[in-house]
Amino acid sequence: MLMKATPEGARDYLVPSRVHPGKFYALPQSPQLYKQILMVSGLDRYFQLAKCLRDEDLRADRQPEFTQIDVEVSFPTQDLIFEVGENVIKQVFKETVGVKIKTPFKRLTYKESMDKYGCDKPDLRFELFLKDITDIAAKSDFKVFQDICKEGGIVKCINPQKDFTRKELDDYGDFCIKMGARGMVWLKVTENSLEGNIAKYFNESLQKEIIKKTGAKPGSALMMIAGKAKMVNDVIYRLRNKLGTDLNLYDPKEFNFCWVVDFPLFEFDENINDWAPAHHMFTRPKKETQEFIETNPGKVIAECYDMVLNGVELASGSIRIHNWDLQERVMKRAGFSKEQAQKRFGFLLEAFTYGAPPHGGFAIGFDRLVAMILGYSDIREVIAFPKNKSAECPMDGCPTEVDENQLKELHIKLEGVKKQ
Ligand code: AMO
């Protein structure tokens, strides 16, 4: 399917039109808007194994071309969607590997997930909950913590309930620096007090507060990351996952699913110094938070959800906006003028004017699902002729140069490209 516009936020792969000089097709990042149009047209249930194409930086769980089990229904509730998603998973695991998956899956709010696990794709196979100790750190005499807290930063702590050698702690520190932190600070717990380079900056009562908050037993080395919230969470969630693996805290054969719900609709984008959609602009804001779209976008909660398996986002979806006014308000807040919205998404907006049913759905990453069922952490293991991390195909060497005639036919002139 050739698509006009897709909402996922990655770059489109563009295909120049030979017949329409100067015009391009955008290959679909997903069939999202098309499945929405199908619902508007009166189809009330849709599913498809859809090929998706996205020009984005590649990782172990990302390929430029991948497949989704794509689903959409009319008049859904979130509970109905979850039931459909859980049943698909249950059936697939039963038929392929004979594993019985327990439903319903646990549900966590985005906030709960960020607080306890530092990410929106928590690995629930082990506990090791994170603790926010910003209020305690702010009262300490440790200047680094004081400054960070004054600047609105946070301090989060993980209690592995285990002691480590100096070398091991240095290695975990190096890992955190590699992941983006300025460093990792640790404190060892003894009977009723703390030891370590920075222990002297915490008076007796603050030391007791930390021990109480983290529930740490004597003989445990507490690890702390401080800085801007985004960085702290991003680093400490990876540290938590690493500790989970290093300390054998889970059974690698276990499949632990959950739904993460109640994501914020907008997030503050420092690059543009304004609010931007956290997922995409077609997700319905929860009714009770719609009043904040214009006045306090950070408070708007989206009816959007992710299915997570063992710390990997397996599926994502939402209940969609189905009326013009609300869609226009969200687009306006996301920085789209009426004209821009009309130009890019006019076909959807027009469809809404004919009276659209409430609708919603989700898409499961098929490659991720297959890889995880088989115990792989890299989806290239389950894709024939995958691209490497530089988006090249090692088998046939693409992307490759094309000859002048082909470019001419497509009305394309290359500029600033060095011949290789
Ligand atoms: P989203 O962009 O979150 O949502 O994608 C849904 C699921 O597709 C998988 N996935 C990928 N798998 C491999 N390589 C990639 N580059 C890649 N990108 C995504 C993930 C992800 O959870 N239209 C919406 C869904 C909806 O709202 O109905 C969408 O595409 O497993």
Side-chain angles (χ1 to χ4, degrees):
M1 189 194 302
L2 290 175
M3 247 187 143
K4 204 168 167 194
T6 45
E8 270 72 30
R11 286 190 180 85
D12 293 328
Y13 278 109
L14 298 178
V15 178
S17 166
R18 181 180 55 82
V19 190
H20 302 280
K23 292 194 172 172
F24 293 80
Y25 299 95
L27 297 182
Q29 292 186 35
S30 84
Q32 164 89 35
L33 301 184
Y34 283 76
K35 64 177 178 174
Q36 289 195 236
I37 297 274
L38 282 180
M39 295 301 110
V40 180
S41 78
L43 264 187
D44 61 350
R45 274 173 256 186
Y46 144 97
F47 95 90
Q48 182 186 197
L49 280 176
K51 278 279 170 207
C52 304
L53 298 123
R54 296 184 191 178
D55 183 1
E56 57 188 346
D57 293 336
L58 302 186
R59 296 188 308 228
D61 62 359
R62 271 194 197 159
Q63 276 286 300
E65 181 181 356
F66 65 98
T67 308
Q68 290 181 341
I69 306 176
D70 196 35
V71 175
E72 194 79 5
V73 288
S74 280
F75 300 100
T77 57
Q78 193 166 282
D79 284 342
L80 175 88
I81 301 247
F82 286 3
E83 204 185 317
V84 173
E86 287 166 2
N87 284 339
V88 172
I89 293 294
K90 229 174 150 156
Q91 196 66 14
V92 168
F93 273 78
K94 189 172 145 210
E95 303 261 336
T96 57
V97 281
V99 171
K100 191 169 187 295
I101 299 294
K102 257 203 262 148
T103 56
F105 300 161
K106 191 179 159 89
R107 296 181 195 182
L108 286 97
T109 64
Y110 170 81
K111 179 167 185 328
E112 206 180 338
S113 180
M114 291 305 293
D115 288 350
K116 276 191 182 164
Y117 303 94
C119 66
D120 57 8
K121 38 179 194 275
D123 190 338
L124 301 192
R125 288 173 298 176
F126 56 99
E127 294 206 331
L128 226 59
F129 299 137
L130 306 175
K131 298 285 173 186
D132 189 324
I133 57 159
T134 312
D135 52 340
I136 309 174
K139 288 185 272 179
S140 76
D141 296 323
F142 187 36
K143 179 122 179 24
V144 176
F145 280 2
Q146 283 177 348
D147 290 347
I148 284 171
C149 297
K150 254 187 234 151
E151 285 160 18
I154 63 166
V155 184
K156 267 183 142 170
C157 176
I158 189 161
N159 166 25
Q161 213 64 272
K162 186 183 172 332
D163 199 5
F164 292 101
T165 64
R166 189 58 198 258
K167 161 89 177 63
E168 285 168 328
L169 288 167
D170 285 348
D171 288 348
Y172 281 117
D174 289 346
F175 171 82
C176 294
I177 291 171
K178 228 167 139 190
M179 294 299 123
R182 270 172 49 198
M184 185 271 283
V185 183
W186 52 264
L187 282 167
K188 291 199 178 191
V189 184
T190 59
E191 291 299 333
N192 273 330
S193 68
L194 298 171
E195 267 179 10
N197 286 348
I198 66 155
K200 58 178 182 277
Y201 300 117
F202 292 81
N203 65 30
E204 203 186 321
S205 108
L206 289 180
Q207 293 198 2
K208 284 204 173 118
E209 271 188 61
I210 292 188
I211 294 171
K212 188 165 170 227
K213 187 140 196 186
T214 56
K217 307 237 161 48
S220 183
L222 298 174
M223 300 177 182
M224 281 157 277
I225 305 286
K228 285 191 174 168
K230 195 166 173 358
M231 179 281 288
V232 170
N233 281 319
D234 197 54
V235 173
I236 205 160
Y237 114 75
R238 291 168 201 275
L239 175 62
R240 176 182 174 274
N241 283 356
K242 183 167 171 51
L243 285 164
T245 308
D246 292 353
L247 305 179
N248 293 320
L249 296 183
Y250 58 86
D251 171 3
K253 292 215 165 70
E254 183 186 341
F255 296 105
N256 197 324
F257 286 90
C258 68
W259 292 103
V260 179
V261 300
D262 292 355
F263 283 78
L265 187 65
F266 297 101
E267 66 188 1
F268 196 76
D269 183 341
E270 285 182 357
N271 296 322
I272 55 167
N273 202 30
D274 202 355
W275 295 92
H279 190 51
H280 60 61
M281 295 188 292
F282 306 95
T283 300
R284 189 166 73 188
K286 280 197 153 178
K287 201 164 182 59
E288 62 277 19
T289 65
Q290 287 179 7
E291 61 178 296
F292 301 116
I293 295 173
E294 289 81 13
T295 54
N296 194 350
K299 272 182 95 168
V300 183
I301 302 291
E303 285 192 66
C304 156
Y305 33 80
D306 280 354
M307 183 199 285
V308 177
L309 166 59
N310 296 353
V312 173
E313 180 204 303
L314 198 59
S316 186
S318 62
I319 305 292
R320 326 294 179 189
I321 297 173
H322 67 279
N323 59 339
W324 218 129
D325 323 345
L326 188 57
Q327 189 64 73
E328 204 188 2
R329 282 174 66 198
V330 170
M331 283 185 169
K332 194 166 169 206
R333 184 56 268 188
F336 275 81
S337 69
K338 223 175 183 164
E339 294 70 37
Q340 283 169 324
Q342 201 59 43
K343 193 161 173 221
R344 270 198 78 182
F345 305 111
F347 61 103
L348 179 73
L349 297 175
E350 187 191 342
F352 285 169
T353 63
Y354 299 126
H359 56 285
F362 63 88
I364 301 175
F366 186 62
D367 318 84
R368 288 189 194 175
L369 176 63
V370 176
M372 294 195 74
I373 288 177
L374 295 173
Y376 295 118
S377 54
D378 192 319
I379 60 172
R380 284 178 297 181
E381 300 291 345
V382 297
I383 296 177
F385 313 121
K387 304 283 184 293
N388 63 19
K389 292 212 167 129
S390 318
E392 297 156 330
C393 177
M395 197 274 294
D396 62 10
C398 78
T400 50
E401 284 150 2
V402 294
D403 53 57
E404 273 306 315
N405 283 342
Q406 280 177 296
L407 289 175
K408 241 192 202 144
E409 244 180 17
L410 295 169
H411 321 282
I412 287 185
K413 211 185 213 161
L414 298 181
E415 259 180 29
V417 181
K418 272 198 208 129
K419 277 236 178 244
Q420 285 171 4

